[in-house]
């Protein structure tokens, strides 16, 4: 089950990593190497399925070049990783994160988790729409095997998806078989960065990510871990330091900005993970791919049809949304949770700010709905 749970977050990991590599032209070696090392360390240190995911806002902006007239380069992505790493390391190590965490009410954290869960489900549905028959087959297979310890659902779905991909595109298997095994280590030359790359990385990529990371990758993951694994609690400060360290490492190693998303833990747990061993397993596989098979990564990812990944993302979102628990008893607080969650489906950072504003308005009696 730990092996099955290890692959529970692929619905988020593969699309973003594929975009960084295929669209932005980043070296698969550095990207996967950074993820692999971060997952190994987190699994061994926390001993719960604490996930390591791409930062979604930065990944989306970088992959579609959504920064007006500026151009996002691999160097700018490395700068964004270093900038976010330094920010969260300082907040966590200084103790400031404890005060920030107390400032954010539980209803807003629950709303973020609910909004993310529904957002994942909607994104999963979009990915399924292009191939409904395949999505239905993968969905039935997933639901029929969830919780089955003899045949874990994730294994069955991945094998099914890879088989369909190979059947539809047999040339992919030929390309994979023809690619040689070659050992390489990541190399990054940060001294060649331009001031334009520094500006794009810090101002246009890193800064807009901060509210999203605070809500999803610091506060929500802390609550989710402590709810699911009360015997192995973590703190927001510890999550902040962890986020800072792994991003500083990623920026130097040629990787991308990473975080501990609550949706990632939901995905791991939904498919069987109960310890940090699942994260160690996935990290080891990514390290092996990075060091010996980095030239085959893009072809390997292409084996998994988007509809199958959409099913995994839908199940992950469902697990995360259900985990938020019942709505608050007070009407005003229910308004806060539902409104904040609705905005989070569109933009987590905006939802976070809306939730804070509505919470304080409710406390002052200004909400009359």
């Amino acid at each position: 089950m730990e092996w099955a749970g290890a692959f529970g977050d692929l619905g988020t990991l593969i699309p973003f990593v594929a975009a960084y590599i295929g669209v932005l032209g980043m070296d698969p070696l550095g990207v996967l190497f950074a993820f692999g090392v971060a997952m190994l360390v987190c699994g061994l240190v926390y001993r719960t399925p604490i996930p390591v995911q791409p930062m979604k806002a930065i990944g989306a902006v970088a992959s579609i070049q959504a920064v007006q007239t500026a151009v996002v380069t691999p160097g700018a992505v490395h700068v964004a990783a270093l900038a976010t790493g330094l920010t969260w390391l300082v907040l966590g190590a200084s103790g400031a994160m404890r005060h920030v965490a107390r400032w954010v009410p539980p209803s807003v954290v629950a709303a973020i988790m609910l909004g993310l869960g529904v957002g994942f489900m909607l994104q999963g549905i979009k990915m399924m729409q292009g191939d409904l028959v395949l999505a239905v087959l993968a969905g039935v297979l997933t639901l029929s095997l969830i919780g089955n310890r003899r045949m874990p659902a994730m294994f069955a779905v991945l094998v099914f998806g890879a088989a369909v991909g190979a059947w539809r595109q047999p040339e992919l298997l030929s390309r994979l078989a023809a690619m040689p095994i070659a050992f390489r280590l990541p190399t990054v030359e940060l001294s060649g960065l331009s001031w334009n790359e520094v500006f794009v990385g810090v101002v246009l990529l890193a800064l807009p990510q901060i509210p999203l990371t605070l809500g999803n990758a610091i506060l929500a993951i802390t609550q989710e871990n402590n709810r699911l694994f009360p015997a192995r609690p973590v703190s927001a400060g510890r999550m902040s330091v962890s986020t800072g360290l792994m991003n500083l490492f990623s920026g130097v190693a040629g990787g991308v900005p990473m975080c501990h998303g609550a949706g990632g833990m939901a995905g791991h747990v939904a498919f069987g993970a109960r310890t940090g061993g699942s994260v160690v397993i996935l990290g080891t596989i990514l390290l092996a791919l990075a060091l010996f098979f980095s030239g085959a990564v893009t072809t390997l990812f292409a084996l998994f049809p988007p509809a199958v990944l959409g099913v995994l993302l839908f199940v992950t979102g469902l697990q995360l949304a259900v985990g938020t628990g019942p709505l608050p008893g007070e009407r005003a607080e229910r308004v806060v949770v539902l409104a904040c969650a609705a905005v989070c489906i569109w933009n987590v950072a905006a939802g976070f700010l809306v939730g804070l504003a509505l919470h304080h308005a409710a406390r002052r009696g200004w909400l009359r709905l």
Side-chain angles (χ1 to χ4, degrees):
M1 296 304 291
E2 292 299 321
W3 272 86
F7 304 104
D9 197 27
L10 290 187
T12 301
L13 181 68
I14 289 181
F16 278 99
V17 172
Y20 273 119
I21 296 171
V23 178
L24 213 58
M26 298 191 69
D27 187 352
L29 171 59
V31 175
L32 295 184
F33 180 80
F35 272 111
V37 171
M39 289 178 184
L40 274 174
V41 173
C42 287
L44 293 172
V45 170
Y46 294 117
R47 297 160 67 189
T48 64
I50 292 286
V52 177
Q53 296 181 306
M55 285 188 173
K56 297 174 184 63
I58 293 177
V61 170
S63 60
I64 65 175
Q65 297 286 336
V67 286
Q68 289 112 22
T69 57
V71 176
V72 179
T73 63
V77 174
H78 299 328
V79 170
L82 294 172
T84 55
L86 184 61
T87 298
W88 295 112
L89 180 60
V90 169
L91 286 174
S94 66
M97 185 50 62
R98 291 197 301 271
H99 303 291
V100 174
R102 285 197 294 266
W103 179 60
V104 180
S107 59
V108 173
V109 178
I112 291 171
M113 293 168 64
L114 177 60
L116 283 170
V118 175
F120 277 20
M121 294 165 70
L122 293 175
Q123 182 61 36
I125 291 173
K126 289 181 182 178
M127 295 172 70
M128 296 182 223
Q129 285 177 341
D131 199 339
L132 286 178
V133 174
L134 180 59
V136 169
L137 291 175
V140 170
L141 183 63
T142 302
L143 294 176
S144 63
L145 292 176
I146 279 187
N148 190 315
R149 302 185 67 85
R150 292 188 176 184
M151 177 56 69
M154 179 56 70
F155 280 156
V157 173
L158 288 178
V159 171
F160 172 70
V164 171
W167 173 63
R168 290 179 173 178
Q169 304 179 77
E171 70 278 4
L172 293 179
L173 292 180
S174 302
R175 285 164 56 186
L176 285 173
M179 289 182 178
I181 300 175
F183 178 77
R184 285 200 303 146
L185 288 173
T187 56
V188 177
E189 185 53 67
L190 293 177
S191 61
L193 293 172
S194 67
W195 283 110
N196 182 65
E197 288 177 315
V198 173
F199 173 80
V200 171
V202 174
V203 177
L204 301 182
L205 295 181
L207 286 180
Q209 175 72 45
I210 288 177
L212 172 58
T213 301
L214 174 62
N216 177 37
I218 305 294
L219 301 180
I221 187 62
T222 300
Q223 178 170 310
E224 184 77 348
N225 180 88
N226 296 348
R227 180 183 70 85
L228 294 172
F229 307 101
R232 302 189 189 281
V234 297
S235 66
R238 196 176 182 190
M239 288 292 95
S240 182
V241 170
S242 176
T243 301
L245 290 176
M246 69 183 186
N247 275 290
L248 290 175
F249 170 76
S250 183
V252 173
V256 302
M258 302 181 293
C259 65
H260 301 301
M265 173 167 277
H268 287 306
V269 171
F271 288 95
R274 296 296 181 269
T275 74
S278 60
V279 186
V280 171
I281 289 169
L282 182 57
T284 302
I285 292 173
L286 294 182
L287 268 181
L289 285 175
L291 296 175
F292 298 99
F293 304 97
S294 58
V297 169
T298 304
T299 304
L300 181 63
F301 283 0
L303 272 178
F304 299 102
V308 174
L309 296 178
V311 171
L312 304 185
L313 202 57
F314 184 89
V315 174
T316 295
L318 184 62
Q319 174 83 5
L320 185 59
V322 170
T324 58
L327 292 175
E330 296 182 10
R331 182 182 177 87
E333 284 300 308
R334 290 201 301 272
V335 170
V336 173
V337 171
L338 293 175
C340 177
V343 179
C344 283
I345 296 173
W346 166 65
N347 184 295
V348 175
F352 173 73
L353 297 176
V354 168
L356 286 180
L358 289 177
H359 171 76
H360 290 290
R363 289 187 61 185
R364 288 166 175 77
W366 297 344
L367 281 182
R368 301 186 182 278
L369 296 174

